[in-house]
């Protein structure tokens, strides 16, 4: 995974005065304390620095700066700090110092009173690791890597350095893995390739973890197994493809009695042409990202195995491409899902819900305490919420509240949308149990959520529609242009904070 640095680059000290010299050093600044800095505040104001969370400014020539150290002001805002603020500040600090070889940062110490020492340190390390991310596998001449390879972090005495850095590395690694998978061109990542990547990731995480804490495993269902297991939704979407489908089932089982059992289900459409309901060029341009839900589940599972929570977790990814081949499912065809319900397919471009129907049906058979599915499911969600918020729906108020709390703690934006029973009639079919799209164009995200709810019964379930935030158009904080890895941090927070 292309994080250009590892945690070996980080040295944590509890006495900043004893920190070894570096080429650059930050000066964390609260925006409401700028006027206490004397002449320095005038210099910063002239440079446009206002102390907002994540803002940075070089302070060359400022009185009191060591001759051989470049000071960098980094803003902390004026309100109570969040871990997201600190990650953003650390990431932007990394970018500001990327051309020097070493940096000393007091960010973790400055944020410890607001967040707690361990959380603050983890946020700083994670932000810096993610800022170092770059996907350059297919460039003939990859851009020059950051020079910054040594970071000295000041933290309060008593900080659990090993745990904080270990958590940051696990989460950042999971996010980087998800980004890698989504950034990969569809021609280089088939359903079988996605299954191989998941297997390798879980094996690597197991090798890094404590074998006494629990066990991890991966099982991949091929076409023959999918037919035997009655996964008609996944097979129906795959019908027009020359590439075989795959259902990936990853498991984490703690040695201790688990406090809960949670299933994560991801949509893994490695490329979506729309099938026979073919997309336009503009609609198809970014459809390599349509496996972003599966990528988030794989990334989260790799982090969970490393962090070894006492929660049993199963990750299920339903993977195929959606192609308009001569054997493709046709509008009007009827598919039988694993739970026995039949679906009239009236739009082959509403395929994600068909593969998820099999994954959800399989998941609830084991009666978990919670099922969470993630999918780049509807363009309608982007129309409603833009490209920074994901949609959140579910059938259980406690489960929705738990998901909202996890997303808030993780700093990922989810907006609760309803599952209105008044709209269920939109899915009525005269020849099958339900149709895969609503009868009009309005409320498409809600129709999709209602469709999925047909396959979970009474099991507590939440659905994340991540079509908007799955990718970003520019570097921003810990995000790098391209895939965002959205969802990984929320899933890890939900599991480890159970």
């Amino acid at each position: 995974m292309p994080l250009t640095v590892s945690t070996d680059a980080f040295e944590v000290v509890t006495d900043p005065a004893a920190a070894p010299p570096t080429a650059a050093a930050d000066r964390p600044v609260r925006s409401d304390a700028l006027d206490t800095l004397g002449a320095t505040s005038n210099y910063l104001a002239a440079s446009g620095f206002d102390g907002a969370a994540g803002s940075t400014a070089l302070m060359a020539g400022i009185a009191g700066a060591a001759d051989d150290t470049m000071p960098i002001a980094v803003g902390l805002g004026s309100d109570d700090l969040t871990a997201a603020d600190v990650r953003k500040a650390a990431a932007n600090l990394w970018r500001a110092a990327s051309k020097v070889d070493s940096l000393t940062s007091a960010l973790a110490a400055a944020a410890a009173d607001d967040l707690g020492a361990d959380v603050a340190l983890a946020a700083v390390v994670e932000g810096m690791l993610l800022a170092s991310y770059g996907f350059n596998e297919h460039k003939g001449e990859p851009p020059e890597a950051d020079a910054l390879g040594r970071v000295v972090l000041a933290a309060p005495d008593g900080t659990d350095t090993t745990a904080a850095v270990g958590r940051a590395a696990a989460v950042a690694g999971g996010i980087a893995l998800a980004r890698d998978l989504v950034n990969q061109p569809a021609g280089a990542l088939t359903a079988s390739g996605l299954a191989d990547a998941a297997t390798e990731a879980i094996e690597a995480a197991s090798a890094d973890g404590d074998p006494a804490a629990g066990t991890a495993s991966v099982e991949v269902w091929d076409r023959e197994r999918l037919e035997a297991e009655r996964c008609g939704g996944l097979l129906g979407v795959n019908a027009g493809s020359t590439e075989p489908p795959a259902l990936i089932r990853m498991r984490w089982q703690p040695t201790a009695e688990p406090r809960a059992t949670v299933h994560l289900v991801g949509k893994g459409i490695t490329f979506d042409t729309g099938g026979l309901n073919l997309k336009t060029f503009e609609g198809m341009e970014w459809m390599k990202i349509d496996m972003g839900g599966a990528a988030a589940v794989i990334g989260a599972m790799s982090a969970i195995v490393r962090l070894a929570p006492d929660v049993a977790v199963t990750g299920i990814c339903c993977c195929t491409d959606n192609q308009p081949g001569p054997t493709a499912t046709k509008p009007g065809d009827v598919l039988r899902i694993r739970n026995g319900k039949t679906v009239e397919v009236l739009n082959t471009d509403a395929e994600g819900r068909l593969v998820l129907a099999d994954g959800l049906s399989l998941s609830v058979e084991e009666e978990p305490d919670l099922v969470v599915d993630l999918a780049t499911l509807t363009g309608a969600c982007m129309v409603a919420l833009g490209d920074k918020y994901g949609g959140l729906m579910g059938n259980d108020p406690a489960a929705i509240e738990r998901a909202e709390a996890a997303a808030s703690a993780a700093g990922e934006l989810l907006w609760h949308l309803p599952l209105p029973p008044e709209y269920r009639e939109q899915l009525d079919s005269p020849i099958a149990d339900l149709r895969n799209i609503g009868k009009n164009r309005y409320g498409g995200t809600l129709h999709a959520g209602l469709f999925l709810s047909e396959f979970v019964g009474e099991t507590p379930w939440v659905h994340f529609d991540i079509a908007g935030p799955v990718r970003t158009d520019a570097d921003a904080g810990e995000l790098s242009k391209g895939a965002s890895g959205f969802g990984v941090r929320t899933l890890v927070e939900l599991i480890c904070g159970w």
Side-chain angles (χ1 to χ4, degrees), residues 101-116:
D101 60 2
S102 56
L103 168 71
T104 299
S105 173
L107 263 178
D113 287 344
D114 294 87
L115 304 179

Side-chain angles (χ1 to χ4, degrees), residues 182-483:
V182 176
N183 281 329
Q184 194 69 254
L189 188 67
T190 62
S192 299
L194 196 54
D196 290 342
T199 301
E200 293 171 7
I202 299 305
E203 289 177 349
S206 297
D208 290 344
D210 178 4
T215 58
S217 62
V218 183
E219 181 183 20
V220 179
W221 291 5
D222 60 11
R223 187 194 306 276
E224 183 178 1
R225 178 72 183 274
L226 289 166
E227 291 171 349
E229 296 287 351
R230 313 177 312 283
C231 293
L234 181 50
L235 290 167
V237 175
N238 179 254
S241 178
T242 58
E243 292 289 341
L247 186 144
I248 310 164
R249 187 149 66 165
M250 301 160 281
R251 293 187 186 271
W252 163 253
Q253 184 65 40
T255 301
E257 182 69 21
R259 288 183 289 128
T261 300
V262 179
H263 282 219
L264 313 175
V265 182
K267 171 187 172 184
I269 303 297
T270 56
F271 193 82
D272 182 19
T273 67
L276 291 178
N277 292 109
L278 197 67
K279 292 178 182 290
T280 64
F281 162 73
E282 291 82 4
M284 207 184 298
E285 182 179 6
W286 287 103
M287 282 300 101
K288 71 177 186 179
I289 60 95
D290 213 17
M291 35 63 68
V297 170
I298 294 168
M301 288 298 299
S302 73
I304 287 164
V305 171
R306 286 184 168 89
L307 296 172
D310 54 351
V311 173
V313 188
T314 296
I316 296 174
C317 299
C318 307
C319 308
T320 179
D321 54 358
N322 183 26
Q323 298 286 355
T327 57
T329 293
K330 299 170 288 298
D333 284 353
V334 174
L335 304 178
R336 186 176 296 275
I337 305 302
R338 178 179 172 84
N339 72 347
K341 290 191 177 185
T342 56
V343 179
E344 182 184 12
V345 179
L346 291 171
N347 188 334
T348 62
D349 195 21
E351 84 299 329
R353 64 200 69 182
L354 298 174
V355 304
L356 287 174
D358 280 328
L360 292 170
S361 298
L362 176 65
S363 180
V364 300
E365 290 170 10
E366 299 188 14
E367 300 182 347
D369 297 298
L370 177 65
V371 176
V372 183
D373 82 72
L374 296 89
T376 49
L377 204 61
T378 65
C381 196
M382 295 181 68
V383 173
L385 301 179
D387 61 2
K388 291 181 172 56
Y389 278 82
L392 166 64
M393 287 165 271
N395 65 354
D396 181 86
I400 292 169
E401 183 178 354
R402 186 185 290 275
E404 288 180 316
S408 178
E412 294 187 316
L413 300 174
L414 290 174
W415 193 265
H416 181 203
L417 298 171
L419 286 177
E422 299 85 356
Y423 292 179
R424 172 57 183 82
E425 59 151 358
Q426 290 284 326
L427 301 177
D428 288 343
S429 165
I431 66 168
D433 294 324
L434 65 164
R435 48 190 282 159
N436 76 324
I437 56 171
K439 295 175 182 176
N440 62 51
R441 59 180 293 191
Y442 304 110
T445 298
L446 309 186
H447 298 159
L450 286 165
F451 180 93
L452 295 179
S453 71
E454 293 283 323
F455 301 94
V456 295
E458 299 301 316
T459 302
W461 156 78
V462 291
H463 160 61
F464 299 170
D465 189 330
I466 62 172
V470 72
R471 60 179 293 270
T472 181
D473 290 327
D475 294 348
E478 73 266 28
L479 297 176
S480 297
K481 183 177 180 179

